[in-house]
Structure formats: structure tokens, C-alpha cells
Amino acid sequence: MSEIVKVGLGARSYDIHVGRGLLAQAGDLLKPFARGTVPVVTDENVARIHLAALSNSGLDVKPIVLAPGEGTKSFTGLEKLSSELLRSGVDRGGLIVALGGGVIGDLTGFAAGILKRGIAFAQIPTTLLAQVDSSVGGKTAINTAEGKNLVGLFHQPRIVIADIDVLSTLPKRELLCGYAEVLKYGALGDRAFFEWLEANGAKALGGDAGAMVHAVAHSCRMKAAIVERDERETGERALLNLGHTFGHALEAATGFSDRLLHGEGVAIGMALAFRLSVRLGLCPGQDAERFVRHLKAIGLPSSITDIPGERASADALIAHMAHDKKAKDGRLRFILVRAIGEAFETDAVPVEALRTVLSS
Ligand code: ADP
Ligand code: ZN
């Protein structure tokens, strides 16, 4: 029960291994890329549960354990990690391993990309979100006071190891957040996959390993195909932002707090993209209803009113969108849908329609 997804990027190509029990095999999988000391960057939660599996890998592992949470993905966190990595003895021909969720993967990838002008790194994502999204495609970044992920670079990993067994220790809410990104792939480009998720998504989330391996591998396959065609997001890769313009605005309006996690913002954001598409006469209403029905069935939020606490105004949300780094030439850009499985990018959205959808 294991799959290998290839990311074809010429000299920067790599394999994504998806399956069960892969942590125990990580030593063998990493060996071809490792040389000397192998720093393994992780956070306290992941270290407590999953680090031991790597300590017995036969590699000369040097754990670097950071504080969990988004705050670690900062200049301060980068400075601290950089000196730990430089002191670890890893050389330019060596390998740095990121073992954790998106925070660890983004920060470690960035550090690996700039230290000694670039050191190879491997991703061992331990959240569903990181397995299907952030560990694949080479985007790395930290957050600054000006916004999230505004400082970073493209640095592709040499290998990605997604062991779905590690998801069993993930809090349910985090698991659902990752599922929102899985669903995104169906919504943006693969109706058959969406239908498969309608039938099997709950099973995958409920612990059916075969279903989860398929969900993760298929998501990675879709992301890999898009990244292969548009590595640096000059076009098609933008479709991966479905739900994200809205989602980021909602995250910003709730202060990036645990009132709304990223995947929850994306779930509501996708529902809003469907509603806006219907309003503009671009998408059949029954596709929007069907999409929202699945969000609800699986336990994800689908409306701004699902967010606890005071509701942000439409204008406040639009102001947050205008600050998003994806706004080009001052025009807001949106990923909308013609149907489930058919997303496209546009900057032609009348602000009245936007305001109506954000107020509904
Ligand atoms: P994301 O991948 O969603 O961006 P983070 O890197 O912030 O997320 O991880 C989310 C939280 O889940 C963190 O507190 C992290 O320590 C914890 N975590 C990550 N992987 C696991 C796991 N496999 N089991 C339990 N907790 C985990
Ligand atoms: Zn996302």
C-alpha cells in the first residue's frame, strides 16, 4: 500500500513516497542523498511522538527541535535555526531533513535554500496539509510583520516522504484542515476525484489507510503536474490558490488566531468562490450546492457565519484582499469555477457582486 509520485523538473526532479510505515524506512530512502551529519529539524510535538523512528534510521541524525506554531516561521526563528544548522556540521554536499507540518517545512526549506548558498533538503511532512500541499512544489518562506510568506524562495526538496500512519496522532481539526486542500484539487481540476471524495473522503478521514493513501497520492499527482508545467507561478499554478484569496482575507480578519485555521479559511473561501461564480452566471447553482453539501458532510465550515465571534464586514475583507501579494497591477485576481473540476483565473469581478457574496 504505497505509491511513488514523480515530480519532473529536469535536474530538480524528485519522488514523493506516499504510504504506510515509511518513517521506519526513512533511513534507506534518505541514504542516497545524505552525507555525514543529517540535521533533522522538527517541532516539540512531532519530536515527542515521531522523532525516535528516525533516530534508528542508521543515519547520523542530529535533531534540532523548535517551538511549535506559526511564530517559529519568522526572522527570529530563521536566525536561530540557521546558527543551529551551521553548527551541526552539515556541509554543502549534505542533506537537511524537515520533519513536521507546514511551519517546519517552509522554514527549514528556506534555511536550506540560503545556507552556504543552498543545501539539499528532504521533506517528511507530518500533517495532512503538508503532505498534500506545502511539502510539494518547492515554495519556502517565513512570515513578517507585513504579511505571511512574503520572504522566501523556490527550493525544491530532493525527496518527499509522506507516511500516512503519522496522521493518526494529528488532532481531528488539523486533519480536516488538510482535507480542505485535498478537496481543492477535485474542485479546481478533477471532477472524478471530487466524486471519489464524496464517496470515500469520510472513510479516509476515519482511518481507512488505503483510502487515505489514494487521497494523498492523487493530490500530490495533481499538484506535481501543475508545478511541472508552471514551477514559478507565472500562470496555471495560480489555480492552486482556489479559495485562498477569500481564505487569507478571513484569516487576516480573525487575526490569524485559532478562531479560523488556514484550511478552514480555504474551505469557506472555496464555498465563496463557488457562490461568486454562480452569482456571475459562470457556474451552475447545483455544483455550488453539491460542493457545499460535501463540506458540511465532512465537518468543514462553508460560510462566513460559521466563524465564531464578531463578523468582519465585506469592505474590511475586500481591504484585506487588496493587500494580498497575489493582487497584480492593483486589480484583485480571483480563481473562480465554471463547474466542479473547472477553475480559471480572472480579474473581472464587479465589486458589487463581491460585496453581495461577502455579506451573504
Ligand atoms: P500545517 O501543516 O497545518 O501548516 P503546523 O506545522 O503548524 O501545520 O502543525 C500543526 C500542529 O500540529 C503543530 O502544533 C504541530 O506540532 C502538530 N503536528 C504536526 N504533525 C503532527 C502529528 N503527526 N501528530 C501530532 N501533532 C502534529
Ligand atoms: Zn493552503
Side-chain angles (χ1 to χ4, degrees):
M1 203 189 286
S2 174
E3 290 196 44
I4 298 174
V5 177
K6 300 213 171 278
V7 187
L9 291 168
R12 295 182 309 288
S13 297
Y14 52 98
D15 289 347
I16 305 166
H17 297 256
V18 182
R20 302 195 64 177
L22 293 181
L23 221 46
Q25 300 170 34
D28 291 337
L29 291 169
L30 295 173
K31 211 158 278 163
F33 309 102
R35 201 175 79 188
T37 303
V38 180
V40 174
V41 184
T42 187
D43 72 28
E44 286 153 13
N45 298 333
V46 178
R48 200 165 43 238
I49 318 173
H50 297 297
L51 186 59
L54 269 189
S55 306
N56 307 321
S57 62
L59 302 172
D60 181 14
V61 164
K62 163 94 178 55
I64 299 177
V65 183
L66 309 178
E70 202 71 27
T72 294
K73 234 181 92 171
S74 60
F75 268 117
T76 312
L78 177 68
E79 186 176 11
K80 189 163 169 282
L81 175 58
S82 296
S83 44
E84 294 221 37
L85 285 169
L86 291 172
R87 286 176 201 168
S88 72
V90 67
D91 66 38
R92 249 186 100 178
L95 182 77
I96 296 169
V97 175
L99 171 72
V103 167
I104 291 298
D106 284 3
L107 171 69
T108 305
F110 186 36
I114 57 175
L115 292 182
K116 302 187 177 177
R117 303 203 173 80
I119 300 175
F121 87 115
Q123 290 271 22
I124 308 185
T126 63
T127 65
L128 180 56
L129 191 137
Q131 292 190 351
V132 299
D133 189 14
S134 54
S135 72
V136 176
K139 280 191 182 178
T140 74
I142 56 172
N143 305 323
T144 64
E146 289 73 26
K148 291 183 76 177
N149 298 328
L150 292 177
V151 175
L153 43 73
F154 286 97
H155 185 42
Q156 299 290 346
R158 300 297 294 274
I159 180 173
V160 180
I161 303 171
D163 182 348
I164 64 116
D165 286 342
V166 306
L167 302 179
S168 65
T169 60
L170 198 62
K172 180 75 198 286
R173 193 174 172 198
E174 297 284 348
L175 193 66
L176 276 178
C177 278
Y179 186 80
E181 305 274 3
V182 172
L183 201 50
K184 182 184 80 178
Y185 294 104
L188 75 89
D190 191 340
R191 191 176 181 97
F193 183 48
F194 175 80
E195 286 169 357
W196 184 88
L197 290 168
E198 279 183 320
N200 300 284
K203 220 163 65 181
L205 291 170
D208 182 316
M212 188 56 103
V213 168
H214 178 74
V216 172
H218 194 80
S219 299
C220 289
R221 239 184 326 265
M222 285 194 65
K223 179 152 187 188
I226 293 172
V227 167
E228 283 170 2
R229 291 190 291 262
D230 179 20
E231 184 180 4
R232 300 181 76 92
E233 196 168 319
T234 55
E236 186 189 356
R237 187 165 180 172
L239 297 183
L240 296 172
N241 297 322
L242 176 62
H244 280 66
T245 302
F246 292 119
H248 287 154
L250 292 167
E251 283 184 270
T254 47
F256 297 98
S257 65
D258 64 4
R259 272 173 69 197
L260 186 75
L261 303 183
H262 174 73
E264 294 164 346
V266 171
I268 298 172
M270 289 190 290
L272 291 171
F274 269 96
R275 289 193 190 106
L276 182 55
S277 304
V278 172
R279 177 139 210 108
L280 297 175
L282 300 165
C283 172
Q286 65 273 27
D287 270 36
E289 283 155 29
R290 185 170 173 182
F291 185 79
V292 166
R293 208 178 309 132
H294 184 57
L295 285 178
K296 287 183 175 157
I298 224 76
L300 276 165
S302 57
S303 154
I304 298 178
T305 55
D306 291 336
I307 305 170
E310 198 186 327
R311 181 184 178 146
S313 72
D315 284 325
L317 292 171
I318 292 170
H320 281 301
M321 283 179 208
H323 280 122
D324 200 292
K325 69 176 179 300
K326 267 127 203 163
K328 254 188 228 156
D329 319 322
R331 288 182 76 85
L332 288 176
R333 302 186 70 79
F334 291 89
I335 311 300
L336 298 182
V337 284
R338 293 199 179 85
I340 291 171
E342 268 180 67
F344 66 99
E345 188 177 18
T346 180
D347 62 1
V349 171
V351 72
E352 313 80 72
L354 185 59
R355 211 173 266 129
T356 308
V357 165
L358 291 176
S359 314
S360 63

